[in-house]
Amino acid sequence: MKQIKGKHDLAINGAEPAFSQPAYVGRPNLGDREKFHNYVDQIFDSNWLTNNGPLVQEFEQRIAKHHNVKHCIAMCNGTISLEIAIRALSLKGEVIIPSYTFIATAHALSWQGITPVFADIDPISHTLDPESVRKLITPKTSAIIGVHLWGRAAHIGQLQEIADENGLSLMFDAAHAFSCSYKGTKIGGFGECEILSFHATKVLNSFEGGAVLTNNDELAASIKLMRNFGFENADNVIHPGTNGKMTEISAAMGLVNLDSIDDVIEINKRNYDHYLAGLASLADIRILPYDENQSNNYQYIVMEIEEGSMLIRDELINTLNAENIWARRYFWPGCHKMAPYKTLYPEAESDLPQTQKVAENVIVLPTGESMTKERIGIVIDIIKVLYHNN
Ligand code: T4K
C-alpha cells in the first residue's frame, strides 16, 4: 500500500493509486461461508425454495425478536416492502417525505399514483424537519413517511404529534436502521409500521431483501396477503396483491449474517472511531456523530464539509476515486432535483435550503471489514493533504 506524504504522491498527479484492492462504501458482509453452504444443502434436501418456506419463517421470527416487535413480514426487497405497506395503509393523495433520501422512498409512492411532497431536513440530524412537515400539510395529505437516514432515528416524537393532530398516518423508512434505537427503544414499533432493507450494501444483507415491522395484527395480516397475490389459502384470493416474497436462499443469507451481526457492528464502530479521531483536527469538516446512548449500526461514515471550507467536495471525491477509494455523495442532489420529480416542483429548490446544503456537502467514506486501521489512515492522509494544499 502506497503511503501519502504530499500532493505529488497522489494518483491525480500520475503516481500509482494508493489501494490496489478498491475500498468501497457498502461492501457486503458475507458471514460464515460454511454455515451458508449448510443452509444451501438444507434447501436442496427439502426442495423448498420459496413461498413462506421454513428459513423465511425462522428469519422473520429472529428479526421480530431482535427488534422487539410482534410482526416481521419478510419481502424480496425494501422498495416492495414500502410499496406494500403504503398500499396496506390505504395512503392516497399527498404523502410528505424528506427529499434527502434514497429515491425508492419517493418512487414507492409515485408508482402507486400518490404524490410525494418533499419536506426539508434538520441539518444536524439529516432527518425530516417537523416544522417543514407542518407547513406542507394540505387537505390532500394522507400521511408522513419519516426516514431514519444513516441509521439515526428521525424526530419520531414530534412527527407522531403532528400526525395525531392532523389525523395522518405515520410510517418510517428504516432501511438504514437495522438494530438501531430511539430513546432506548429499538426501531420497528414506531408509527404504524417500519420498513427494513436487507440489500447487499446494508449492515445486514440477504443478497436482496426487506421487511415490514409492525405491532398491528390487522395490518400485518393484510400485508401478508398482499405479499402473496392476496391468497388466503391454496385457491382463494381474498385481497388484491403482488409478489413480494422472500426466497429461501435470501433468508439463508440473512440468517448467516444475523449470526455475525455483533461482529460487523463492532468493526463498523471501530472504523467510525478511527475516522473520528483521524479527522478531528480539520476545522471545516465534521463526521456525523452517532448518539452513544442509543444502539447504532455505524454502517455509514458520513463526512460533511462546511460551506467555505478549503476542501471542495467533488474534487475530494475525484481524488479519492483515483486512488481506488470509492467514496460517494449519496442522495445528491435530492429527490426533488431528479428527473421524475424536478418538473413537478419547480420551486422546491428555494423551499428546501437545508436539503440543498447537505446534499452538496456530504461525502460518505468507505468502511466495513476490508477497511483496516492502516487503510483508513491512508484515506485520512489524502483528505489532510488536499485540505492543507487548497
Ligand atoms: N429506503 C432507503 C432510505 C434506502 O437507502 C433504500 C436502499 C431503500 C429504501 C430501498 O431498499 P432496497 O429496495 O434497495 O432493498 C444502494 C442500494 O442499491 C440500495 O439498496 C440503497 N438503499 C442505496 C442507498 O444504495 P448503491 O448505489 O450504493 O449500489 P452500488 O451498486 O453502487 O454499490 C455500492 C458499492 O458497494 C459499490 O461501489 C461496490 C459495492 N458492492 C455492491 C454490491 C451490490 C459490492 O462490493 N458488492 C455488491 O454486491 O445502491
Side-chain angles (χ1 to χ4, degrees):
M1 201 167 12
K2 191 181 75 173
Q3 297 300 314
I4 307 284
K5 294 177 213 83
K7 210 164 180 181
H8 53 276
D9 296 313
L10 297 176
I12 45 162
N13 294 327
E16 283 293 301
F19 291 179
S20 49
Q21 290 296 323
Y24 292 120
V25 175
R27 191 84 170 141
N29 302 307
L30 293 177
D32 184 323
R33 198 179 286 215
E34 204 179 313
K35 265 191 199 170
F36 181 72
H37 286 161
N38 289 339
Y39 276 124
V40 174
D41 286 341
Q42 210 174 304
I43 292 168
F44 272 69
D45 291 345
S46 67
N47 205 350
W48 197 278
L49 308 186
T50 184
N51 289 9
N52 206 24
L55 296 181
V56 166
Q57 290 182 41
E58 187 184 339
F59 184 60
E60 289 180 330
Q61 281 160 19
R62 284 185 60 189
I63 296 286
K65 192 163 172 226
H66 191 91
H67 277 270
N68 201 18
V69 284
K70 260 172 109 176
H71 305 281
C72 165
I73 305 113
M75 304 267 182
C76 52
N77 60 52
T79 306
I80 294 284
S81 309
L82 276 169
E83 286 174 10
I84 292 182
I86 287 164
R87 187 114 184 184
L89 286 169
S90 304
L91 305 191
K92 55 185 186 321
E94 296 175 357
V95 172
I96 301 172
I97 62 169
S99 170
Y100 195 62
T101 178
F102 188 55
I103 197 69
T105 322
H107 281 349
L109 292 163
S110 73
W111 196 249
Q112 310 192 67
I114 300 166
T115 307
V117 174
F118 298 117
D120 211 357
I121 49 167
D122 160 4
I124 303 296
S125 69
H126 291 190
T127 64
L128 265 184
D129 169 7
E131 285 318 305
S132 172
V133 170
R134 264 184 208 285
K135 288 183 201 149
L136 293 169
I137 296 171
T138 73
K140 289 188 192 158
T141 310
S142 63
I144 303 165
I145 303 181
V147 179
H148 305 311
L149 206 80
W150 316 128
R152 295 158 18 118
H155 296 293
I156 295 175
Q158 285 164 276
L159 293 175
Q160 188 64 65
E161 260 175 50
I162 297 173
D164 292 345
E165 282 165 20
N166 294 279
L168 305 175
S169 296
L170 175 66
M171 60 177 269
F172 292 98
D173 178 338
H176 297 184
F178 176 78
S179 211
C180 300
S181 70
Y182 169 77
K183 294 191 175 171
T185 301
K186 276 268 171 76
I187 293 300
F190 295 106
E192 299 189 56
C193 63
E194 307 205 54
I195 268 62
L196 293 174
S197 164
F198 306 118
H199 180 260
T201 55
K202 296 292 186 290
V203 66
L204 174 73
N205 90 77
S206 61
F207 297 116
E208 291 265 7
V212 182
L213 305 183
T214 182
N215 285 319
N216 181 329
D217 299 340
E218 237 176 89
L219 183 65
S222 39
I223 287 172
K224 270 185 196 161
L225 281 170
M226 290 170 95
R227 172 183 69 172
N228 186 29
F229 313 100
F231 274 106
E232 179 194 37
N233 53 37
D235 310 307
N236 210 14
V237 175
I238 59 163
H239 207 288
T242 183
N243 184 352
K245 289 167 284 148
M246 177 180 266
T247 64
E248 287 292 275
I249 200 77
S250 278
M253 189 63 163
L255 286 167
V256 169
N257 282 323
L258 206 45
D259 286 344
S260 54
I261 192 68
D262 290 345
D263 298 338
V264 166
I265 293 176
E266 201 180 308
I267 289 169
N268 282 351
K269 162 86 170 124
R270 178 203 69 191
N271 290 352
Y272 163 74
D273 287 340
H274 288 331
Y275 276 115
L276 208 58
L279 293 166
S281 62
L282 304 191
D284 301 344
I285 63 160
R286 82 167 179 145
I287 296 291
L288 220 64
Y290 288 100
D291 180 349
E292 299 299 338
N293 295 315
Q294 299 307 319
S295 127
N296 301 298
N297 62 37
Y298 301 95
Q299 176 74 355
Y300 300 96
I301 309 290
V302 183
M303 186 172 113
E304 233 178 324
I305 300 173
E306 273 182 29
E307 266 176 322
S309 160
M310 291 192 287
L311 277 175
I312 297 158
R313 195 265 308 261
D314 289 356
E315 184 187 315
L316 176 56
I317 290 190
N318 292 339
T319 306
L320 291 171
N321 288 176
E323 303 289 351
N324 230 346
I325 300 165
W326 297 94
R328 298 279 293 264
R329 45 182 187 183
Y330 272 106
F331 316 132
W332 176 89
C335 296
H336 68 290
K337 281 194 161 174
M338 295 190 184
Y341 306 107
K342 207 156 118 181
T343 48
L344 280 180
Y345 304 105
E347 285 97 42
E349 187 153 352
S350 56
D351 292 346
L352 303 172
Q354 302 304 337
T355 301
Q356 289 282 134
K357 209 173 88 182
V358 168
E360 278 163 21
N361 294 333
V362 153
I363 160 166
V364 182
L365 299 169
T367 184
E369 272 175 324
S370 67
M371 292 304 289
T372 57
K373 189 175 180 183
E374 209 188 350
R375 277 161 73 86
I376 291 172
I378 298 271
V379 178
I380 291 168
D381 284 350
I382 294 169
I383 296 171
K384 284 185 170 167
V385 165
L386 275 191
Y387 182 87
H388 292 300
N389 283 284
N390 264 321

